[in-house]
Amino acid sequence: MSAPYSRTAPLRALFVTASIGAGHHQAQMAVQLALRARGVALDDRESDVVGYLSAAERSWTVDLYAFELRHAPWLYEWFYHGTDHDRPLSLIEFFCRWVGLSGMRRDIAQTRPELVLSSYWSSVPLAHRVRRQSRRPFVNALVVTDYRAHRHWIRPEADLVMVAAEETREQMIARGLEAGKVVVTGIPISQRFGALIGADKARLRAERGLRPDLPLLLISGGGTGTYTAQERVLTELGNLGRRVQVLVMSGAQRPGVSQVGGATVHSLGFTSDFPELMAASDLVVGKAGGLTVAEATALGVPLVIHEPIPGQEEYNAEYLQRRGAAIWARELSDVRGAVLAALDPDRHACLSAAARAVGVPDAADRVAAALLDRLGRA
């Protein structure tokens, strides 16, 4: 559904993310920058679907999710698989049509958008309901930030669903979504990653006080501090039998440099240099969040995955392993061997080539192009 807006007028848009991890916001920012790079002026508003919730609603959604990841991942795994069904009756589907509705109604009334772009599934049915009630025309679009189509992401209310891979598209169509709504774009990432393809790793390291002659491993722990295996993984990396450098971007460590066995650990905390540090690295070790996977593969950096979040990240890990872009160390005792194998020059070259084949460095621009085409602004 779209209206005959002027192609040259500023694009009135509502960008809705979800603060349950950094990836959803990063994807939105990448798309906004890609639209501006195409010369599109934006008259926009940024919203957070979590901000639409009351304190009570947050306690049994977002807070419960964080608790499960830290203390009971088995419970989240049960929820993920238990809600991934095609039965007509679903409490989640019922509640997602009205929880947060007043916030969405307010934002749409104030923005008067021709585009509502969500990077998390739960705001799509809210936008659809407001559109039906207000009769205000806009394109209701969704960016999917993982490689598998869980039922919650298969949104018939959306006019356009942009997915990571052809496999994801086929899953959505097989489960009932109209083929014409689903476009393969890749997961949108910052244009900085594309600009770093082929960059000189030695130079990037030297500029940041890192040794160019030792392997550099980047710990993927997510942006919420819920990667409980991080300390155990660091211990394994310290016992490789060879010296390495390890970058830790999140977790309990204070910024600084420490020694864990043969691993020199650089605890950085938040840094604006993440794309350059990723490009300087030989391996990503840890979780398999959608944005991290998209960023690493865009640069041809292989992954050694251990203890991904049950459900979506396990499917991301399986997807990468099938394509030869990652090694999934399912047990802690497998981490050491997997990292050593991935650092072998011949194996590393194969993994890197496979990662590049998976990566879509210009995904954000592809999303922008798909949106403009659907809006009649191409």
Side-chain angles (χ1 to χ4, degrees):
M1 180 185 297
S2 60
Y5 294 96
S6 167
R7 295 188 181 189
T8 58
L11 172 60
R12 293 198 305 275
L14 175 62
F15 297 102
V16 189
T17 185
S19 55
I20 55 174
H24 302 294
H25 177 67
Q26 291 169 1
Q28 286 281 24
M29 293 304 298
V31 174
Q32 292 177 40
L33 289 173
L35 286 167
R36 290 190 168 97
R38 282 176 165 261
V40 177
L42 293 177
D43 180 3
D44 63 302
R45 182 188 187 101
E46 296 179 24
S47 289
D48 180 356
V49 71
V50 175
Y52 292 162
L53 306 179
S54 67
E57 290 163 347
R58 283 195 296 272
S59 69
W60 55 264
T61 54
V62 180
D63 295 345
L64 179 59
Y65 172 72
F67 174 85
E68 290 171 344
L69 294 189
R70 287 189 176 91
H71 306 292
W74 59 269
L75 183 58
Y76 177 72
E77 182 175 19
W78 173 84
F79 171 81
Y80 180 91
H81 293 291
T83 58
D84 188 24
H85 62 76
D86 297 325
R87 296 188 296 272
L89 296 179
S90 166
L91 283 177
I92 301 297
E93 288 292 319
F94 172 75
F95 283 117
C96 77
R97 292 187 179 96
W98 61 268
V99 174
L101 183 62
S102 61
M104 177 65 76
R105 185 181 289 119
R106 178 201 63 223
D107 282 353
I108 287 177
Q110 293 177 355
T111 309
R112 297 180 297 110
E114 62 180 291
L115 168 67
V116 175
L117 178 64
S118 298
S119 54
Y120 189 68
W121 66 270
S122 66
S123 50
V124 175
L126 295 178
H128 176 71
R129 187 170 182 185
V130 173
R131 182 169 64 179
R132 290 184 61 185
Q133 291 174 343
S134 67
R135 299 184 182 276
R136 188 184 301 278
F138 57 78
V139 170
N140 190 10
L142 173 65
V143 173
V144 180
T145 54
D146 284 302
Y147 290 81
R148 182 181 178 275
H150 185 281
R151 166 51 59 186
H152 291 163
W153 288 90
I154 303 172
R155 304 313 318 175
E157 307 95 337
D159 305 301
L160 180 64
V161 179
M162 292 155 288
V163 299
E166 181 60 36
E167 182 175 304
T168 325
R169 180 177 185 272
E170 292 171 358
Q171 291 167 2
M172 289 199 160
I173 295 170
R175 299 186 72 174
L177 201 59
E178 295 177 27
K181 290 184 174 184
V182 193
V183 178
V184 179
T185 58
I187 298 173
I189 58 175
S190 168
Q191 60 189 2
R192 289 172 62 186
F193 289 93
L196 287 163
I197 294 174
D200 184 340
K201 288 182 182 290
R203 178 183 60 81
L204 290 173
R205 295 180 190 182
E207 290 173 351
R208 288 156 182 83
L210 299 166
R211 291 184 57 170
D213 59 323
L214 292 179
L216 182 62
L217 316 178
L218 188 152
I219 295 288
S220 168
T224 59
T226 56
Y227 187 49
T228 58
Q230 183 163 291
E231 291 302 317
R232 298 190 294 275
V233 168
L234 283 173
T235 299
E236 293 300 304
L237 298 181
N239 291 317
L240 293 175
R242 63 180 296 183
R243 297 178 65 190
V244 293
Q245 305 168 98
V246 181
L247 301 176
V248 177
M249 318 301 290
S250 63
Q253 291 96 341
R254 295 177 180 177
V257 181
S258 59
Q259 199 70 30
V260 178
T264 303
V265 180
H266 299 262
S267 300
L268 303 177
F270 173 79
T271 174
S272 60
D273 279 356
F274 182 76
E276 289 74 20
L277 292 168
M278 174 79 83
S281 299
D282 295 300
L283 289 176
V284 171
V285 182
K287 290 169 76 279
L291 264 289
T292 298
V293 168
E295 292 161 351
T297 56
L299 293 168
V301 179
L303 296 91
V304 171
I305 300 165
H306 178 65
E307 285 199 18
I309 291 175
Q312 68 266 27
E313 288 194 7
E314 289 180 337
Y315 284 106
N316 293 347
E318 192 269 338
Y319 176 85
L320 291 176
Q321 185 169 252
R322 274 193 285 116
R323 282 155 178 76
I327 301 174
W328 186 357
R330 294 175 183 268
E331 304 294 334
L332 183 63
S333 58
D334 298 330
V335 170
R336 179 176 177 273
V339 170
L340 289 172
L343 288 176
D344 173 78
D346 292 339
R347 183 72 182 278
H348 188 271
C350 291
L351 288 164
S352 294
R356 284 190 293 272
V358 169
V360 188
D362 63 340
D365 185 64
R366 296 187 186 196
V367 170
L371 290 171
L372 294 175
D373 180 65
R374 191 56 57 102
L375 288 162
R377 284 174 168 259

